C-alpha cells in the first residue's frame, strides 16, 4: 500500500461489529463507539424498537387469554 495522508490505524484497530451477516459470516464493519454493533446492525442512534412497542398489538390472537380460551373450547 502507498503512503496515506490520513491515519488509518484507529479504524483498523477498532472493535468490530458482533452481528452475523445473512451469509453466516461475521460483520467486518467497526462498531459504533460505546456499542457492540455497527451503524447498519443497530448501533446507530435511534435504532431499535420504540419503548412500549404497539406494533405487536394487532389482533390479540396470540395473547395468553385467547390461547386459554381456544384450549377450553377444544376440551
Amino acid at each position: 500500500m502507498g503512503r496515506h495522508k490520513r491515519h488509518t490505524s484507529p479504524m483498523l484497530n477498532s472493535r468490530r461489529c458482533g452481528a452475523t451477516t445473512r451469509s453466516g459470516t461475521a460483520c467486518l464493519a467497526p462498531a459504533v463507539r460505546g456499542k457492540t454493533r455497527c451503524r447498519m446492525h443497530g448501533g446507530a442512534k435511534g435504532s431499535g424498537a420504540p419503548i412500549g412497542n404497539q406494533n405487536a398489538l394487532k389482533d390479540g390472537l396470540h395473547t395468553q387469554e385467547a390461547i386459554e380460551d381456544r384450549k377450553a373450547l377444544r376440551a
Side-chain angles (χ1 to χ4, degrees):
M1 288 200 152
R3 298 172 107 190
H4 290 289
K5 290 183 179 181
R6 61 185 175 269
H7 188 58
T8 57
S9 67
M11 176 72 165
L12 296 173
N13 295 330
S14 65
R15 195 171 30 135
R16 297 290 140 186
C17 176
T20 305
T21 62
R22 287 187 279 179
S23 63
T25 60
C27 177
L28 299 177
V32 174
R33 186 180 317 153
K35 306 252 181 149
T36 59
R37 299 286 188 244
C38 67
R39 61 187 179 86
M40 294 171 280
H41 288 119
K45 185 177 179 182
S47 64
I51 296 173
N53 185 4
Q54 295 297 311
N55 294 330
L57 303 175
K58 295 208 178 213
D59 55 17
L61 184 66
H62 300 286
T63 61
Q64 187 66 35
E65 183 181 346
I67 292 170
E68 289 173 4
D69 288 343
R70 287 194 298 273
K71 284 183 182 178
L73 187 62
R74 278 183 288 222

